[in-house]
Amino acid sequence: MDTSRYTIPTDIQAIVNTDRYELNDIGMSDSEVRIYDKFVLKIRPYSKENDNEFAMTKWLGKKIPIPEIPAYCISKGTAYTLSTRIEGKMLCDDSYLHQPETLIQIAADGLKQLWEVDIKDCPHNSSRLSERLKEAEYNVMNGLVDIENAEPETFGPNGFAGPEELLRWLQDNQPEEDIVFTHGDYSLPNILVSGNRINGFIDLGKMGPADRWQDVAIALRSLEHNFSGRYRDGKRIFDFKPQMLLDKLGIEFDSHKYSYYILLDELF
């Protein structure tokens, strides 16, 4: 194990002791995820999302299946989030991608489960559109937008000239919000399952009350990307159509909200 990059806070050391872990490199030079037998330690540059994940987890309790966070520390601009480990396969696992009907049903069930959470006494509103736009503006103004990983059509000759122009469009074209409880990044890797049952949702930094299309848009994009083979060999696994998910949710396609929340995600 390479432990030289970070000094783990004592509160977390006291819990994990000297347990061995596997290092899960998430592709960012200044971030990492350590997988222990019973815990997951996420080490990332501090942001408001770290605070939100901790706060939402405490508020939710056992309302939906999510990890507990026994320790959360900030040191020298780095956030250390220790959460309990949830067993199961990611919903993008090959075994599910080759059972598309089952996968789509599980994805729909997860959204319904989130939307059933009563938000009337939720004290946290950082996921609301007004707050997300403030964070997006901060990211744009501080050069934190990763254009290289954006959808091919977002920027360039047939898209926006740059993040600044996209931000202005988002500010000028805000949709009316239909508020429910949302995950905030409802993509297949953030849903852990066993059989036909969801064991838990992970990566909760954007979780909270927001328009339901915040989750629906990301879910549709994730389903299309995974079924198209984008993250594998480029060979399409299944001819996914958005209405396959929407029919199970009992809603119609909203082209403006779909485009809006996909574009908003480009600034994070």
Side-chain angles (χ1 to χ4, degrees):
M1 296 183 298
D2 179 9
T3 59
S4 61
R5 295 182 65 197
Y6 302 100
T7 300
I8 306 303
T10 55
D11 286 354
I12 293 176
Q13 287 181 344
I15 297 173
V16 299
N17 297 311
T18 58
D19 293 351
R20 297 187 64 82
Y21 61 84
E22 295 181 1
L23 192 61
N24 180 10
D25 188 348
I26 61 175
M28 299 173 63
S29 61
D30 54 356
S31 304
E32 69 181 41
V33 177
R34 300 182 180 187
I35 309 296
Y36 295 85
D37 182 42
K38 297 181 179 180
F39 299 98
V40 176
L41 176 59
K42 292 187 291 186
I43 307 172
R44 298 175 176 172
Y46 169 76
S47 73
K48 290 182 179 180
E49 288 188 12
N50 303 122
D51 287 342
N52 187 65
E53 180 172 28
F54 181 65
M56 291 306 308
T57 300
K58 295 300 182 185
W59 176 75
L60 280 165
K62 302 294 185 179
K63 294 177 182 177
I64 55 175
I66 57 173
E68 297 178 5
I69 299 181
Y72 170 56
C73 306
I74 303 168
S75 177
K76 298 179 180 179
T78 299
Y80 300 80
T81 305
L82 184 71
S83 60
T84 53
R85 183 176 177 180
I86 295 178
E87 297 296 333
K89 296 179 179 179
M90 293 179 179
L91 192 50
C92 57
D93 187 85
D94 277 343
S95 61
Y96 287 97
L97 288 173
H98 288 90
Q99 301 179 67
E101 292 292 337
T102 298
L103 189 159
I104 295 168
Q105 184 63 62
I106 293 172
D109 291 344
L111 287 169
K112 292 177 182 178
Q113 190 172 2
L114 291 165
W115 296 347
E116 288 173 357
V117 174
D118 189 348
I119 60 174
K120 68 176 182 294
D121 62 342
C122 180
H124 310 291
N125 288 302
S126 62
S127 52
R128 291 292 297 268
L129 183 55
S130 59
E131 297 302 313
R132 294 291 307 282
L133 286 172
K134 290 177 184 177
E135 293 182 39
E137 182 175 13
Y138 177 87
N139 291 343
V140 171
M141 295 301 102
N142 289 274
L144 301 177
V145 178
D146 186 0
I147 296 177
E148 296 300 319
N149 284 326
E151 295 294 309
E153 64 274 12
T154 299
F155 300 108
N158 299 315
F160 294 92
E164 296 83 359
E165 184 179 34
L166 172 53
L167 176 63
R168 288 194 296 271
W169 185 89
L170 292 167
Q171 292 168 333
D172 293 340
N173 292 275
Q174 299 177 45
E176 183 177 350
E177 291 180 280
D178 172 22
I179 302 299
V180 295
F181 191 79
T182 65
H183 179 281
D185 186 13
Y186 196 81
S187 55
L188 301 189
N190 290 335
I191 307 165
L192 298 181
V193 293
S194 292
N196 296 342
R197 180 175 62 88
I198 294 177
N199 286 359
F201 305 101
I202 59 173
D203 286 346
L204 313 178
K206 297 182 176 72
M207 181 170 271
D211 189 284
R212 71 179 72 242
W213 273 87
Q214 167 64 53
D215 277 353
V216 175
I218 300 300
L220 290 174
R221 183 182 66 181
S222 185
L223 286 163
E224 169 57 27
H225 283 179
N226 279 277
F227 281 131
S228 71
R230 174 171 177 159
Y231 305 118
R232 290 168 175 76
D233 54 10
K235 295 181 180 178
R236 179 168 288 276
I237 298 170
F238 177 69
D239 187 19
F240 173 74
K241 304 296 183 185
Q243 204 60 42
M244 293 176 180
L245 177 68
L246 300 181
D247 283 346
K248 296 182 183 301
L249 298 173
I251 61 177
E252 294 298 322
F253 188 73
D254 187 321
S255 59
H256 177 62
K257 283 191 174 182
Y258 173 79
S259 297
Y260 189 92
Y261 285 101
I262 291 297
L263 290 170
L264 177 62
D265 192 59
E266 301 284 40
L267 299 183
F268 288 86

